Amino acid sequence: MSDSKPKTMGQQLGRRSWAEPWKIKMVEPIRLKSKSDRQRALEEAGFNTFLLRSEDVYIDLLTDSGTSAMSDRQWSGMMLGDEAYAGSRNFFRLEHAIREFYGYEHVVPTHQGRGAEHLISQALISPGQYIPGNMYFTTTRLHQELAGGTFVDVIVDEAHDPASDFPFKGNVDLRKLEALIHEVGSEKIPYVSLAGTVNMAGGQPISMENVRSVRELCDRYDIRVYLDATRMAENCFIIQEREAGYSQTPIAQILKEFCGYTAGAWMSAKKDSLVNIGGWLAVNDADVFDQVRNMVVIYEGLHTYGGLAGRDMEALAIGVEESVDDDHIRTRVNQVRYLGNLLVAWDVPIVRPVGGHAVFLDAKRFFPHIPQDDFPAQTLAAELYLDSGVRSMERGIASAGRDSETGENRHPKLELTRLTIPRRVYTQAHMDVVAETVKSVFDNRDSFRGLEMVYEPKYLRFFQAKFKRI
Ligand SMILES: *Cc1c(COP(=O)(O)O)cnc(C)c1O
């Protein structure tokens, strides 16, 4: 037997390869700009990948938000838009899809996820209250704070350790949650804010057993549980794979069971649901629905369109159904792992286990010589772009922002650079190019210094901050 024969990745891993359950019908050209063009673009963007022009990017892994490819079914749905101001047919299709796949009774569409976060936060949170959650998300926490609440992280300790192989790093630590309830009193906690595929922890899942226990605990104290369902389908795939008793259960059924432990959910449909824009808030309690349905007309639009066109709601209704297809979700998560496994094989430090939607580079171990105050993860994102036009995103000290009381920089344990994979957009060859880019920066890691922030916006600073090289 000859060892020199090329091997497919499947053969290297000792198994048969998988392939995407779709074929490509339309293409969008992309181009790698020259090194000097990239250098100029990066300087103009203040070393912030959010400020680059998309045209200057070769492979765009900034986010999986709104960047998915819609199916031919979804595009044909766009032609079936009922653009009536009130009572559009597409709204009822969307409502039906959410009831069928997520199981919630009352549905309010919103322009995207943060619109829904705004409504639920304003409806349920009073000033001085506390909202426990399994790690913060940027927009979620900000809306909770703007409503006068304080977010309290009750995620398991393993979530803060990028090297821990714990299978459910998105789980709530029940002791932390109960300690908070005892400390502040259950009447000070309007709800528990759960999230699937916890983004800031590296795309880590929460188990069915954990949500069941959270619900039991909250029932004892009469506290409601609400869910950020943005990447719940991906979370359900990992439950199917790792949690005892679910290996034969379809994703759709796992999703419905999981949501059944919660009183409602908000959703950025730009992620799991395979659309370019859209979101929703869905609840079971009629009184909460009454409040949010009333508020949506102030901030988003009438309660049967919430800032979306009829055609967007149609594409979203179809996307909800496609997002829970077992073949779709398996290849989606496996593509992320393909990239992660290449990097692990080359000893690049990443968050383990590889998450559902992205590979997170551990910038603290990647650049051990760059102090956190010099933005190692931001530096890494900038250098990856410069190397070969690959766009990623900082998830570290810049994203964490400042403490709302002291005004000091927060120093999160995790200092990460996220390579986020859009759904159904890139091929395995693109993943190879990305992996080689990371390897090239990693091989030269000692030559990089950090960055200094020269412009800092007040809210969600990571989006618009500017930096310069130290
Ligand atoms: C993207 C996202 C949001 C916010 O949704 P937008 O559609 O970007 O407004 C909320 N929660 C999570 C977990 C997200 O990833």
Side-chain angles (χ1 to χ4, degrees):
M1 211 187 90
S2 160
D3 276 332
S4 61
K5 281 199 185 135
K7 279 187 171 168
T8 65
M9 187 47 63
Q11 286 170 326
Q12 287 173 37
L13 297 173
R15 56 158 171 72
R16 293 294 288 267
S17 293
W18 51 268
E20 291 80 0
W22 37 260
K23 52 187 176 174
I24 296 166
K25 153 141 60 177
M26 191 187 283
V27 297
E28 175 185 341
I30 52 176
R31 178 174 291 117
L32 176 60
K33 293 261 173 109
S34 70
K35 179 115 191 186
S36 60
D37 283 349
R38 298 200 297 275
Q39 178 75 43
R40 192 175 326 118
L42 187 63
E43 272 164 23
E44 270 172 24
F47 294 84
N48 184 347
T49 51
F50 277 102
L51 300 178
L52 288 168
R53 289 174 187 233
S54 156
E55 279 193 339
D56 292 327
V57 173
Y58 178 41
I59 298 176
D60 201 348
L61 306 187
L62 181 73
T63 172
D64 61 334
S65 180
T67 52
S68 301
M70 292 209 296
S71 66
D72 51 0
R73 288 176 70 228
Q74 287 177 291
W75 278 109
S76 60
M78 297 287 277
M79 297 303 291
L80 301 176
D82 170 5
E83 307 304 344
Y85 190 88
S88 159
R89 176 188 342 116
N90 314 116
F91 166 74
F92 294 104
R93 284 265 291 125
L94 175 61
E95 184 185 57
H96 180 79
I98 292 165
R99 282 182 182 158
E100 182 177 346
F101 291 101
Y102 291 84
Y104 303 116
E105 184 54 28
H106 306 293
V107 177
V108 173
T110 58
H111 77 286
Q112 57 184 77
R114 69 199 72 183
E117 289 173 338
H118 176 213
L119 299 180
I120 189 95
S121 305
Q122 291 295 330
L124 297 183
I125 301 171
S126 310
Q129 290 189 321
Y130 297 87
I131 306 92
N134 51 345
M135 203 173 265
Y136 83 99
F137 183 72
T138 51
T139 57
T140 317
R141 180 175 65 191
L142 181 56
H143 279 296
Q144 292 165 351
E145 288 174 352
L146 289 171
T150 303
F151 171 82
V152 182
D153 189 3
V154 294
I155 203 165
V156 291
D157 286 339
E158 287 88 344
H160 295 283
D161 174 5
S164 158
D165 261 323
F166 189 66
F168 290 102
K169 288 163 95 172
N171 280 358
V172 168
D173 184 328
L174 296 162
R175 281 164 313 165
K176 288 185 194 168
L177 177 56
E178 195 157 22
L180 177 76
I181 298 171
H182 288 160
E183 190 191 325
V184 304
S186 59
E187 68 290 346
K188 282 275 186 71
I189 300 179
Y191 60 95
V192 171
S193 175
L194 281 190
T197 311
V198 180
N199 197 350
M200 307 303 281
Q204 302 298 326
I206 168 169
S207 71
M208 192 72 85
E209 196 214 321
N210 190 247
V211 70
R212 213 178 280 133
S213 310
V214 169
R215 172 62 187 267
E216 273 168 25
L217 178 66
C218 287
D219 277 352
R220 273 194 271 133
Y221 293 97
D222 204 18
I223 298 170
R224 280 177 289 207
V225 180
Y226 282 95
L227 177 67
D228 183 335
T230 296
R231 294 190 186 83
M232 209 49 230
E234 290 162 5
N235 194 111
C236 291
F237 172 73
I238 303 179
I239 289 178
Q240 188 188 57
E241 204 179 41
R242 290 187 197 150
E243 193 161 351
Y246 289 95
S247 65
Q248 303 303 317
T249 316
I251 297 299
Q253 203 176 315
I254 299 175
L255 179 66
K256 194 109 171 229
E257 181 187 338
F258 195 103
C259 294
Y261 295 114
T262 66
W266 61 91
M267 179 81 187
S268 171
K270 303 171 70 172
K271 321 286 176 42
D272 263 357
S273 305
L274 301 158
V275 287
N276 305 121
I277 194 74
W280 47 261
L281 177 63
V283 298
N284 289 329
D285 292 313
D287 58 326
V288 179
F289 177 55
D290 216 44
Q291 280 187 68
V292 295
R293 185 175 55 170
N294 192 221
M295 231 182 337
V296 76
V297 299
I298 314 172
Y299 297 105
E300 305 276 322
L302 193 71
H303 58 280
T304 55
Y305 76 85
L308 296 174
R311 55 181 174 269
D312 294 328
M313 291 190 284
E314 187 68 22
L316 170 48
I318 297 167
V320 166
E321 189 190 324
E322 292 182 356
S323 72
V324 297
D325 177 86
D326 285 78
D327 279 343
H328 158 71
I329 201 78
R330 185 182 310 115
T331 34
R332 191 281 183 282
V333 177
N334 274 322
Q335 188 181 39
V336 178
R337 285 187 189 154
Y338 174 82
L339 174 60
N341 289 339
L342 284 176
L343 296 176
V344 168
W346 293 336
D347 294 326
V348 175
I350 67 169
V351 175
R352 307 283 297 274
V354 176
H357 69 304
V359 173
F360 290 74
L361 306 173
D362 182 357
K364 275 189 186 170
R365 280 187 292 153
F366 200 105
F367 289 142
H369 57 288
I370 302 182
Q372 191 170 24
D373 283 309
D374 295 347
F375 304 98
Q378 189 80 36
T379 305
L380 181 50
E383 296 304 339
L384 293 175
Y385 171 73
L386 196 58
D387 182 88
S388 32
V390 172
R391 174 152 69 171
S392 58
M393 180 201 290
E394 194 261 12
R395 278 298 181 222
I397 187 167
S399 291
R402 292 177 183 274
D403 187 288
S404 57
E405 270 165 30
T406 67
E408 294 297 314
N409 273 323
R410 292 175 169 123
H411 286 83
K413 284 205 186 109
L414 298 179
E415 177 72 24
L416 309 176
T417 303
R418 190 180 79 179
L419 299 160
T420 336
I421 318 300
R423 297 163 188 80
R424 309 192 292 205
V425 171
Y426 292 116
T427 67
Q428 199 153 308
H430 290 111
M431 296 302 112
D432 288 340
V433 169
V434 171
E436 289 166 23
T437 301
V438 175
K439 173 93 165 60
S440 145
V441 175
F442 189 56
D443 288 344
N444 294 309
R445 58 193 177 277
D446 293 338
S447 63
F448 301 112
R449 302 278 156 271
L451 295 167
E452 182 189 338
M453 203 188 304
V454 291
Y455 167 67
E456 179 177 357
K458 183 159 176 226
Y459 297 114
L460 303 174
R461 66 181 183 186
F462 59 96
F463 282 131
Q464 291 152 343
K466 290 203 165 193
F467 302 83
K468 71 174 199 300
R469 279 211 168 98
I470 288 179

